[in-house]
């Protein structure tokens, strides 16, 4: 009897702690699982939010469309040039860009501003050469060479480049293969900078004057599309084109349509839209450009001097005819002094 009692109490004292310890272990495991779950959820939320913010958001503000957040993959690149070594800069990312524009829209001046940045290389009108835009294959080969940093000119920063691109005119093959080029831009992470003029009449005058000087060569027998002194600008501005008032409206409509078509064709790319007049009147717009390209802020400068200043009546030979033609139309606003 005593032995049975001892066995009973022994079993009791052995079994109860086992049940209690099992319960405690389960509670501890439940607490640990809960804590881990909360931690994992918080980490996931932190990872999801930046990805959501890093998605491309195009925001319209004062004529500028741009991504509001920091640049991220796939817009950061680490090129490996075949013609030189990036040396200590090999680990520094490079952004790819293209300036999409039309002749006499201020793109030459704008490009000199970009190239005044110590880390930006803009290679000019590389597709002014017809052989490079002969077909889509030659275009892709040229683009690959530019974005691999194997394209050299006086503006090249080589291993120090943080942003590299060039200027592409709408009439230089860009509009001939829009789907293939958009696919390339999106695949390679190329950002587009649209640069146009609001006042298409001023652009038209500049086109006519530049075309005239191409043959007349007013500056000591030399043709210059851009000048660096007030004296040269004054000399070129003395020429006043005679505008065909009969075809003027159709010419302005054609330019307007071409701009709209370009924006529509390349709307799916990461892009920013700028207007020459806005840049002239407000240089803080250049800060937006530097933010868009993901480069450090610098004071951008250019030596170029504007040719056609002041009211347009001073630069059109048959001003009265042009004024009469545009008054009462949607283009009458072009007759006013806008900057």
């Amino acid at each position: 009897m005593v032995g049975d009692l001892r066995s009973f109490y022994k079993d009791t004292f052995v079994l109860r702690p086992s049940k209690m310890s099992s319960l405690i272990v389960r509670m501890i495991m439940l607490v640990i699982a809960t804590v881990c779950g909360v931690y994992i959820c918080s980490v996931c939320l932190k990872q999801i939010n930046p990805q959501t913010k890093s998605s491309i958001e195009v925001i319209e503000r004062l004529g500028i469309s741009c991504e509001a957040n920091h640049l991220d993959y796939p817009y950061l690149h680490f090129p490996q040039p075949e013609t030189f070594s990036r040396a200590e800069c090999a680990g520094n990312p490079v952004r790819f860009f293209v300036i999409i524009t039309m002749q006499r829209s201020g793109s030459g001046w704008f490009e000199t501003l970009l190239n005044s940045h110590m880390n930006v290389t803009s290679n000019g009108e590389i597709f002014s050469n017809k052989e490079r835009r002969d077909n889509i294959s030659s275009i892709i080969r040229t683009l690959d060479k530019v974005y691999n940093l194997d394209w050299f000119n006086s503006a090249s920063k080589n291993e120090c480049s943080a942003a590299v691109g060039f200027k592409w005119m709408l009439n230089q093959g860009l509009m001939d293969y829009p789907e293939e080029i958009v696919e390339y831009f999106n695949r390679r992470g190329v950002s587009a900078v649209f640069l146009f003029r609001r006042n298409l009449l001023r652009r038209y005058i500049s086109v006519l004057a530049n075309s005239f000087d191409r043959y007349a060569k007013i500056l000591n027998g030399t043709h210059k599309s851009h000048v660096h002194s007030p004296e040269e600008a004054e000399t070129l501005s003395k020429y006043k084109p005679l505008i065909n008032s009969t075809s003027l409206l159709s010419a302005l409509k054609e330019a307007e349509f071409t701009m709209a078509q370009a924006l529509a064709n390349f709307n799916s790319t990461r892009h920013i839209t700028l207007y020459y007049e806005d840049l002239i009147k407000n240089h803080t717009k250049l800060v937006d450009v530097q933010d868009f390209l993901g480069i450090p802020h610098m004071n951008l400068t250019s030596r170029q001097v504007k040719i056609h200043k002041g009211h347009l009546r001073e630069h059109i030979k048959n001003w009265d005819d042009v004024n009469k033609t545009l008054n009462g139309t949607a283009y009458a606003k072009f007759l006013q002094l806008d900057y």
Side-chain angles (χ1 to χ4, degrees):
M1 184 68 177
V2 175
D4 291 340
L5 288 173
R6 287 178 178 174
S7 176
F8 172 79
Y9 284 115
K10 183 178 180 181
D11 292 341
T12 301
F13 285 110
V14 170
L15 291 174
R16 284 183 179 176
S18 176
K19 291 179 179 179
M20 291 179 65
S21 62
S22 175
L23 180 61
I24 293 173
V25 169
R26 290 179 181 177
M27 290 179 67
I28 292 174
M29 292 299 294
L30 179 60
V31 171
I32 291 175
T34 303
V35 172
C36 290
V38 171
Y39 175 78
I40 291 172
C41 288
S42 65
V43 171
C44 290
L45 287 173
K46 289 180 180 179
Q47 291 179 345
I48 290 172
N49 285 339
Q51 290 176 0
T52 303
K53 290 180 181 179
S54 64
S55 62
I56 300 175
E57 298 176 5
V58 178
I59 300 178
E60 294 287 343
R61 68 177 190 278
L62 299 178
I64 292 183
S65 309
C66 67
E67 186 180 272
N69 50 284
H70 298 292
L71 288 179
D72 201 353
Y73 179 84
Y75 303 107
L76 303 180
H77 311 280
F78 299 88
Q80 297 180 345
E82 298 179 359
T83 50
F84 70 94
S85 171
R86 295 192 69 208
E88 69 274 8
C89 294
N92 295 340
V94 179
R95 279 80 170 182
F96 298 160
F97 70 88
V98 57
I99 303 170
I100 296 177
T101 186
M102 303 168 71
Q103 281 83 359
R104 314 311 294 178
S105 295
S107 61
W109 167 72
F110 178 70
E111 191 172 43
T112 60
L113 289 171
L114 290 183
N115 278 324
S116 71
H117 194 290
M118 64 185 298
N119 300 120
V120 177
T121 296
S122 192
N123 291 285
E125 295 180 42
I126 62 174
F127 287 114
S128 60
N129 184 315
K130 293 183 179 180
E131 293 181 358
R132 296 173 191 152
R133 63 176 195 262
D134 187 50
N135 52 59
I136 189 59
S137 297
S138 59
I139 288 176
I140 297 299
R141 283 196 302 270
T142 303
L143 291 174
D144 284 342
K145 189 173 182 179
V146 171
Y147 294 129
N148 201 47
L149 304 187
D150 285 318
W151 192 277
F152 298 105
N153 62 22
S154 58
S156 299
K157 307 298 192 305
N158 297 334
E159 66 272 7
C160 296
S161 292
V164 62
F166 66 99
K167 187 169 55 171
W168 203 341
M169 299 294 176
L170 298 185
N171 63 349
Q172 294 177 350
L174 181 65
M175 304 293 281
D176 297 333
Y177 310 96
E179 293 182 2
E180 294 89 342
I181 294 170
V182 165
E183 189 279 330
Y184 180 92
F185 285 172
N186 289 332
R187 174 170 51 85
R188 293 297 307 273
V190 179
S191 299
V193 179
F194 290 100
L195 176 63
F196 297 124
R197 291 187 78 153
R198 293 186 184 278
N199 193 324
L200 297 177
L201 179 58
R202 281 190 178 272
R203 174 186 173 272
Y204 191 50
I205 292 169
S206 184
V207 168
L208 294 176
N210 186 65
S211 178
F212 171 79
D213 187 66
R214 191 180 301 276
Y215 301 98
K217 297 180 174 60
I218 299 174
L219 294 174
N220 300 320
T222 304
H223 169 60
K224 289 187 177 182
S225 295
H226 309 100
V227 296
H228 298 129
S229 73
E231 292 75 21
E232 290 176 324
E234 184 180 0
T235 300
L236 290 181
S237 68
K238 289 179 179 179
Y239 170 71
K240 297 182 179 182
L242 180 68
I243 295 179
N244 186 337
S245 57
T246 303
S247 60
L248 177 57
L249 284 175
S250 60
L252 296 177
K253 288 179 181 178
E254 182 180 359
E256 196 172 52
F257 174 77
T258 302
M259 288 166 49
Q261 188 177 31
L263 289 168
N265 287 347
F266 297 92
N267 187 54
S268 62
T269 63
R270 178 181 182 270
H271 65 275
I272 180 173
T273 304
L274 304 171
Y275 293 95
Y276 172 73
E277 289 84 353
D278 297 342
L279 292 171
I280 286 287
K281 292 186 291 186
N282 185 0
H283 284 191
T284 60
K285 297 296 182 186
L286 294 175
V287 175
D288 293 324
V289 177
Q290 293 178 76
D291 287 340
F292 178 76
L293 295 178
I295 54 178
H297 292 178
M298 287 188 64
N299 182 31
L300 306 183
T301 59
S302 173
R303 293 178 52 240
Q304 286 193 15
V305 178
K306 185 171 177 55
I307 298 173
H308 298 101
K309 298 180 181 179
H311 202 285
L312 284 179
R313 68 166 63 91
E314 302 173 3
H315 304 291
I316 300 175
K317 189 171 184 179
N318 56 331
W319 165 254
D320 291 337
D321 291 341
V322 170
N323 185 62
K324 182 179 179 180
T325 299
L326 297 186
N327 262 321
T329 72
Y331 305 112
K333 58 186 177 182
F334 295 160
L335 299 169
Q336 306 302 316
L337 182 64
D338 47 10
Y339 58 87

